[in-house]
Amino acid sequence: MAEAAANHHRSIDPKTGFCPQTRTFHSLRPHVPLPPPSLSLSLPQYALSLLRTSSSSADSDGDTDFIIDATIGHRLSYSQFIAQIRSLAHSVRKNYSLSQNDVAFILSPPSLHVPLLYFALMSLGIVVSPANPLGSESEIAHQVQLSKPVIAFATSKTSSKIPSLKFGTVLLDSSEFLSFLTQSDVDNDVLNRAQVSQHDAAAILYSSGTTGRVKGVILSHLNLIALIAGYYHLRQLYREEEAPHPVPFFTVPLFHVFGFFMLARAFAMGETVVFTKRFEFEGMLRAIEKYKITYMPVSPPLVLAFIKSDLTNKYDLSSLLLLGSGGAPLGKEVAERFKEKFPTVELVQGYGLTETTGGATRVIGPEEAARYGTVGRLSENMEAKIVDPVTGEALPPGQRGELWLRGPIVMKGYVGDEKATAETLDSEGWLKTGDICYFDSEGFVYIVDRLKELIKYKAYQVPPAELEHLLHSHPEIADAAVIPYPDEEAGQIPMAYVVRNPGSSITEAQVMDFIARQVAPYKKIRRVAFINSIPKSPAGKILRRELVNHSVSGGLSKL
C-alpha cells in the first residue's frame, strides 16, 4: 500500500501537479495539517486556538481592535468581542430551548452584532443561515422553506419579511438582545460546552448553485476549519518580518461566503476588520486613509472604480498593500491598468464557489501576482480534474474542460434538495463547478467560460430561470428569455428578450419595473428587447447563445 502511494507521488508532475495515471491535478502548495476529523471541534473553538498561538497576535486577547464599524465609529477589541460571544452564547442557551443542529436564520444589514451571532451560535452547535437583508419577501420565504430555521435574528426593519418560527424572531436592535451581550454571571467555559462534531453543519449559505433557483449550501465546521488552516499555515511560511498589522476593509457583505469566511479568517489571525453599514466608494477611500487599511477583498467592478475615479487622488492610500479580487473574472487589461495607477499595490485573484467554502484556487505573492489573468494555483489539500463536458474524459494540462474539485473545503450538499446535490457532487466526492477552465504548464488555473448560465452581476449570481419565471407570470408577456449582457462596470447585467401577447403594447420601463418590485436590487433587469419569438432547440431549451450573439451584434432584424 505504502509502495503504491510512493509510486503515485513519483508520477505527479512537480510543475503542473498532474498525475497521468489518475488524470488528476494535485495542489502544488505545501501540505497543511488539519485537526483529526474525529476530534470534537467547532469553527469558533479552532479560530480561538489559532488566535492564541499566533505570535503576531500575542496581544489580540487584549486591547487590539478586532472589528470597527466605520459608519458610526463603534469598535470591539478582541477581549470585548470574546466576552460578548460568551455572554451571548450563555444567554441563548438560557433563554431558548435550542438543540444542536437547529438552524438560526439571520437577516440584518452589516453590524457588530452579526459576527457576534455567528461565533456564539456556531460554538453552541447551532447552524447559522444568514441571508441578504435586501431580499424580497418571496425570496426570504423560499430560503426559510429550504433551511427550516426554528429561530431568526433580524432588525426592526427586516423582521417583517420573516414568517412565524417556533422560537420567534429576536430583534438585534432591542434592549433584550443588547442585554444578552452584557451578562455578568457567564461561565468562562461556555464556548466549549457543546460537543460539536467537525462534520456537523456550521452554516447554510445561499447560492444559485450551478443551475436554477437559489439553493442552501451546507458548510460543515470542517469545511471552514480546513479553509482557515490553509490561510493560517501559509501565512506563517510566507510571512515578512516587518509586515504591518493587517487591517482589512470589507467591501463584501457578511452574508456572502466571501465575507463570511474572511471574517473568521481575520479573527483567527488577530487582524483588525473595518466595515461600513452601506458601501460607498468615497466612504471606503476615507476609511483606507483613516484606519490605515492594508488589504481588501474586492470584486472586479471595484477594481475598475479604483482605475477610473479621480477621487483616489484626494486620499492617502499609501497603507494599502493588496487587493484580493474574487466573485467574477478580472480582465487582463483591467489588471494592467490598475498596476499602472497603483504600482505599490499587489492585485491578486482567487476563485471559489459558495460550494467550496469560497476557496479553491488563489494567487500568493508578487511573482504569481505578475501573471495577469490567472486565478492562481489549486489551494492546499485540494485535487482537481478538467473534464470534457461531452465525453466525460479527464484531460491533461493545456486542455479546456469543466473544472471538478475535491477536498476538505467541498460542501456537504444542498439543504432539502437531494436531486441538486446528486447532480453537483458525484459518489467519489467530486464537485462539478460548471466552469470551463484549463491548467497551464506551471499549474496555474485560467477560467475560460461558464457551462452554467448564471449571470454575474458585480459579485452576485443572478439565475436567468428565476427572472424568466417571473416574466412568464405577467399577463401581457407571451414568452421571455434572460441573458447576460456585457457591462464594463458590473461585468454583466441581466437583459430580457420579451415576446408581447397579441395586442399588448407593454414597454421596456414597465417590464423592468414589474421585475424590480419582486426581486433584490442586484437581480433587476436592466435592459429589454422585444422580439417575435424566442429561439429554442427541438426539445424546447432556450438557445441563449443565439440571443447573446444577437444582443452584442445589435441587429434586431436577424431573429
Side-chain angles (χ1 to χ4, degrees), residues 98-106 126-131 139-153 162-168 201 203-206 215-218 414-418:
L98 298 176
S99 309
Q100 278 189 223
N101 299 313
D102 274 348
V103 176
F105 194 76
I106 300 171
I126 292 159
V127 185
V128 297
S129 192
E139 288 168 324
I140 304 294
H142 176 61
Q143 291 166 336
V144 165
Q145 195 186 340
L146 285 176
S147 59
K148 304 200 169 14
V150 296
I151 191 168
F153 293 85
I162 300 170
S164 133
L165 302 175
K166 184 178 177 184
F167 294 108
I204 295 170
L205 302 183
Y206 299 99
K215 296 178 178 65
V217 174
I218 309 168
Y414 295 117
V415 67
D417 199 336
E418 285 174 24

Side-chain angles (χ1 to χ4, degrees), residues 104-324:
F105 194 76
I106 300 171
L107 196 67
S108 167
S111 80
L112 297 177
H113 296 149
V114 172
L116 287 165
L117 271 175
Y118 289 172
F119 277 79
L121 294 171
M122 285 191 284
S123 68
L124 297 173
I126 292 159
V127 185
V128 297
S129 192
N132 187 345
L134 298 176
S136 68
E137 276 188 36
S138 62
E139 288 168 324
I140 304 294
H142 176 61
Q143 291 166 336
V144 165
Q145 195 186 340
L146 285 176
S147 59
K148 304 200 169 14
V150 296
I151 191 168
F153 293 85
T155 62
S156 308
K157 283 186 175 161
T158 61
S159 61
S160 62
K161 297 181 188 179
I162 300 170
S164 133
L165 302 175
K166 184 178 177 184
F167 294 108
T169 296
V170 181
L171 296 181
L172 301 181
D173 45 2
S174 65
S175 53
E176 180 196 25
F177 180 79
L178 296 176
S179 75
F180 287 175
L181 305 176
T182 53
Q183 299 295 305
S184 52
D185 56 338
V186 176
D187 165 10
N188 271 349
D189 205 39
V190 67
L191 301 182
N192 300 317
R193 279 285 188 76
Q195 291 291 300
V196 179
S197 161
Q198 290 181 61
H199 301 283
D200 285 349
I204 295 170
L205 302 183
Y206 299 99
S207 151
S208 307
T210 48
T211 52
R213 254 188 118 179
V214 164
K215 296 178 178 65
V217 174
I218 309 168
L219 298 178
S220 66
H221 289 270
L222 176 63
N223 291 152
L224 288 150
I225 286 169
L227 187 77
I228 285 156
Y231 277 102
Y232 179 84
H233 286 280
L234 292 190
R235 187 191 67 169
Q236 307 301 96
L237 279 177
Y238 292 96
R239 199 198 216 130
E240 293 168 33
E241 285 308 310
E242 297 303 308
H245 175 71
V247 184
F249 179 86
F250 276 23
T251 62
V252 283
L254 299 178
F255 60 81
H256 188 280
V257 70
F258 205 177
F260 190 88
F261 89 73
M262 288 296 285
L263 184 78
R265 169 194 182 279
F267 178 83
M269 295 196 178
E271 299 177 354
T272 298
V273 172
V274 180
F275 73 92
T276 50
K277 288 213 173 6
R278 280 196 63 169
F279 177 75
E280 187 255 323
F281 187 69
E282 192 165 5
M284 173 198 72
L285 297 175
R286 260 197 302 276
I288 295 173
E289 178 176 278
K290 181 175 179 180
Y291 297 104
K292 308 243 177 306
I293 301 298
T294 60
Y295 80 89
M296 289 171 37
V298 296
S299 61
L302 193 51
V303 179
L304 200 66
F306 265 101
I307 296 166
K308 290 187 161 184
S309 175
D310 293 332
L311 287 172
T312 56
N313 304 322
K314 274 178 62 180
Y315 295 89
D316 175 6
L317 308 181
S318 59
S319 61
L320 197 59
L321 302 174
L322 182 129
L323 293 190

Side-chain angles (χ1 to χ4, degrees), residues 45 55 107 301 330 403 528:
Q45 283 176 312
S55 54
L107 196 67
L330 186 70
L403 178 67
V528 176

Side-chain angles (χ1 to χ4, degrees), residues 391-553:
T391 65
E393 182 195 355
L395 305 168
Q399 301 270 311
R400 298 173 173 203
E402 184 184 10
L403 178 67
W404 290 17
L405 294 165
R406 182 166 72 178
I409 57 175
V410 170
M411 69 169 181
K412 285 170 74 88
Y414 295 117
V415 67
D417 199 336
E418 285 174 24
K419 181 174 175 282
T421 303
E423 285 167 2
T424 309
L425 270 178
D426 80 2
S427 57
E428 293 179 347
W430 287 103
L431 175 87
K432 302 167 188 177
T433 66
D435 286 311
I436 299 289
C437 304
Y438 68 91
F439 281 79
D440 74 5
S441 58
E442 291 177 76
F444 287 92
V445 181
Y446 292 80
I447 298 176
V448 181
D449 205 347
R450 280 184 287 283
L451 269 180
K452 50 192 174 186
E453 293 170 340
L454 293 177
I455 297 163
K456 288 272 184 133
Y457 175 77
K458 300 195 173 170
Y460 292 107
Q461 297 180 340
V462 182
E466 187 177 339
L467 298 176
E468 285 159 1
H469 183 70
L470 291 171
L471 288 168
H472 289 148
S473 71
H474 192 289
E476 291 187 57
I477 293 175
D479 202 357
V482 175
I483 59 156
Y485 185 83
D487 178 85
E488 188 178 27
E489 192 196 328
Q492 297 176 332
I493 55 171
M495 173 180 179
Y497 275 93
V498 171
V499 180
R500 292 184 180 106
N501 267 335
S504 163
S505 55
I506 187 170
T507 64
E508 179 178 17
Q510 287 170 325
V511 171
M512 293 199 283
D513 185 49
F514 174 71
I515 294 295
R517 289 199 304 269
Q518 301 183 71
V519 297
Y522 69 89
K523 289 185 186 171
K524 286 180 186 175
I525 284 171
R526 290 163 197 274
R527 194 179 172 98
V528 176
F530 293 97
I531 197 169
N532 294 330
S533 67
I534 302 292
K536 292 183 182 171
S537 72
K541 193 166 164 36
I542 295 169
L543 300 174
R544 264 181 239 279
R545 181 54 49 200
E546 278 188 31
L547 291 172
V548 168
N549 294 341
H550 176 268
S551 70
V552 178
S553 67

